[in-house]
Amino acid sequence: MPDSLPATGRPPRAAGVPPGAPAATGTSPAARLLAAAGRFAPVLPVVALMALLALPVSGDTARSGGAAPADAMSGVLVLLAVAGAVRRAERPLSRTALVVLGLPVVGFAVAATGAADAATGLTGLGRYLQVFVLVPAAVLLLVRDRADLRVLAWAFVGLALVQGGIGAHQYATGTGASYMGADIRAVGTFGPTDVMGMATVVSYGVICAVGLALGAAPGTGTGTGTPAGSTTGTGTAVRQRAVALVCALLLLVPLALSFSRGAWIATAVACAAQLLLAGVRRAVAVGAVLAAVLVVLVGGVGVGTAMLQERVDSITKVTDAPDQSVLDRYTMWAAAVGMWRERPVTGVGLKNFPAHRDGHASLALSSGSDTAGAGSGFVRQPLLSPHNMYLLVLSEQGLLGLLALAGGWGALLVLGVRRLALVRRAAVRAPGGPSARGADCGLLACGLLVWQLVDFAYADIGGPSTVLTAVALGVVAWWALGADAR
């Protein structure tokens, strides 16, 4: 399997220059940096988009759901991808990619016609197209090979370390979002109105770091042009594994301090899936190491505070003794199902859940959720979505929209796992060969999708961090659709 991207009809890098090969333009740090920038120029706009998510988000933008700088950059990303496709004068996507990414547009368009007014319908349609079609397709087109994909993976890890570091500082200094009367909830730069923002970013970082660590096997090369079995290739793989593993362990701390039960569950499931996909023996060994580290963090270092322990215990009590946030979620889930039963095929229309909520919700629903801290005053946030992506799509877009969207996700998962299996079989037949490289890319891509599918049972799109979900889906799309797996 070549490192280039034949399915998109785009040529690989310059002939005779393997991806990731040492630059011939000089040996100074500045020369190497310039050479690396030139090699990875197509994906640098994606990295820039991710870097913008490290900037603080204004309270007005977070509360109103307005466009943030990263959203504007996502538009630039799409334009760059389109311009590149036009310049090459070739079909940019394979038929499979067109079907998987394009089919949900039908459900979006039909649901947009049922919106309260044209402006609302267009706004909702634009958001869904941005997150699930345009940005993923742009990432698919801009990523040329696995070296590019690894750059994005490390960008995920870097952003997670920045946001996680800010979140850990918020917890330590009592400057985070309010949680049970104390300003200790780690939210990074996203503020108290998007408490899932930092948790999502850090979770993505953990998944990417685990994938990079598990897939970088010494002696097999790293897919960057280094001969398998060489001293350089082995050393690079060992360094990648060590650095990635350290990053993953560090990111567990801010993930815990986010107090996000949904992110915890999704990360645990995704990491378990990555371990199993990497091999049972490796799964047992790495699982034992992680368990030992968690024991040290919780018992020795003191990460496990009383509030954190109570939050963990609450996961097992969501049916027996649910708190008000869980009751609100159950009530909104029931309301979403009621809307779907009222209009089962096409739903109530894009962005119409708030308008129909009170007509289907019971009296157990509270008036809103309280947010404060992290530099913001007290705000009572209205409950405008069911906090479940599947039920949000079902209620607003009906079965038509849910089957088209979830069907695409299922196709990505099947194709992604299939390609990873082909890479692992190739590694057994010809260790270190071109077709045997890229297990790390497959593991992180499959892990990101599994995390997203699980998290969507507890959350939906919304907030400044949503554009990062689109980038993650683009990474998944490249692995599943962007290269020939034969």
Side-chain angles (χ1 to χ4, degrees):
M1 185 192 309
D3 273 356
S4 57
L5 194 57
T8 61
R10 289 185 281 118
R13 300 174 189 269
V17 180
T25 57
T27 56
S28 68
R32 289 196 296 269
L33 183 61
L34 288 174
R39 289 199 305 272
F40 300 116
V43 295
L44 291 184
V46 187
V47 176
L49 181 154
M50 298 167 71
L52 289 174
L53 288 170
L55 299 177
V57 179
S58 67
D60 293 338
T61 299
R63 284 190 293 271
S64 64
D71 292 302
M73 187 62 197
S74 73
V76 175
L77 207 67
V78 173
L79 293 177
L80 290 174
V82 172
V86 172
R87 185 176 64 252
R88 290 186 297 271
E90 297 168 339
R91 189 180 69 185
L93 298 174
S94 66
R95 290 188 179 89
T96 302
L98 287 172
V99 171
V100 172
L101 295 177
L103 189 59
V105 177
V106 177
F108 301 159
V110 172
T113 62
D117 53 69
T120 301
L122 289 175
T123 301
L125 178 62
R127 187 60 159 171
Y128 274 94
L129 289 176
Q130 174 202 21
V131 176
F132 298 114
V133 180
L134 297 178
V135 174
V139 174
L140 170 59
L141 292 173
L142 293 173
V143 174
R144 296 168 298 177
D145 50 42
R146 295 171 190 144
D148 282 352
L149 199 71
R150 290 186 185 97
V151 170
L152 296 187
W154 283 112
F156 272 108
V157 175
L159 176 62
L161 288 171
V162 171
Q163 290 287 358
I166 295 172
H169 179 265
Q170 290 171 333
Y171 174 84
T173 59
T175 57
S178 179
Y179 177 76
M180 297 183 67
D183 293 344
I184 59 171
R185 188 168 193 173
V187 292
T189 63
F190 295 102
T193 56
D194 187 15
V195 294
M196 276 297 296
M198 190 212 73
T200 299
V201 171
V202 172
S203 297
Y204 285 159
V206 172
I207 299 304
C208 288
V210 170
L212 290 167
L214 291 174
T220 62
T222 60
T224 58
T226 303
S230 68
T231 304
T232 303
T234 301
T236 301
V238 170
R239 285 194 299 272
Q240 175 174 307
R241 169 174 288 181
V243 173
L245 185 58
V246 169
C247 290
L249 296 176
L250 289 175
L251 289 172
L252 291 179
V253 175
L255 179 62
L257 301 179
S258 70
F259 292 93
S260 175
R261 293 171 292 198
W264 294 345
I265 295 171
T267 302
V269 173
C271 288
Q274 288 178 302
L275 290 170
L276 292 175
L277 289 172
V280 176
R281 285 187 299 177
R282 186 173 296 177
V284 172
V286 176
V289 173
L290 290 177
V293 170
L294 289 176
V295 169
V296 172
L297 285 175
V298 176
V301 181
V303 172
T305 64
M307 288 184 179
L308 184 57
Q309 185 62 48
E310 182 179 343
R311 189 69 165 176
V312 173
D313 293 341
S314 69
I315 295 176
T316 61
K317 301 176 182 177
V318 292
T319 56
D320 298 332
D323 55 32
Q324 185 59 49
S325 66
V326 176
L327 284 175
D328 286 340
R329 188 162 301 192
Y330 287 165
T331 304
M332 289 189 292
W333 288 1
V337 173
M339 296 177 204
W340 167 68
R341 288 174 176 168
E342 186 178 287
R343 299 182 187 178
V345 179
T346 59
V348 298
L350 289 183
K351 300 180 76 69
N352 267 352
F353 179 89
H356 291 260
R357 181 199 63 191
D358 292 342
H360 295 84
S362 69
L363 296 178
L365 184 67
S366 65
S367 59
S369 60
D370 299 338
T371 64
S376 300
F378 175 82
V379 176
R380 190 157 186 80
Q381 288 288 109
L383 303 175
L384 303 179
S385 73
H387 295 286
N388 181 304
M389 191 66 206
Y390 305 104
L391 291 179
L392 177 63
V393 173
L394 187 65
S395 62
E396 294 188 342
Q397 302 178 38
L399 279 176
L400 177 65
L402 182 62
L403 291 177
L405 189 58
W409 298 336
L412 289 176
L413 183 61
V414 171
L415 293 172
V417 172
R418 173 181 175 272
R419 185 178 175 201
L420 179 58
L422 291 173
V423 170
R424 292 194 60 198
R425 283 201 293 269
V428 174
R429 292 194 301 267
S435 297
R437 302 171 191 157
D440 53 347
C441 297
L443 288 170
L444 69 89
C446 292
L448 286 173
L449 183 56
V450 170
W451 187 93
Q452 201 62 68
L453 294 178
V454 175
D455 185 70
F456 273 160
Y458 305 94
D460 48 50
I461 59 174
S465 61
T466 298
V467 70
L468 194 63
T469 298
V471 175
L473 291 175
V475 169
V476 174
W478 185 87
W479 176 257
L481 304 170
D484 192 350
R486 292 173 296 179

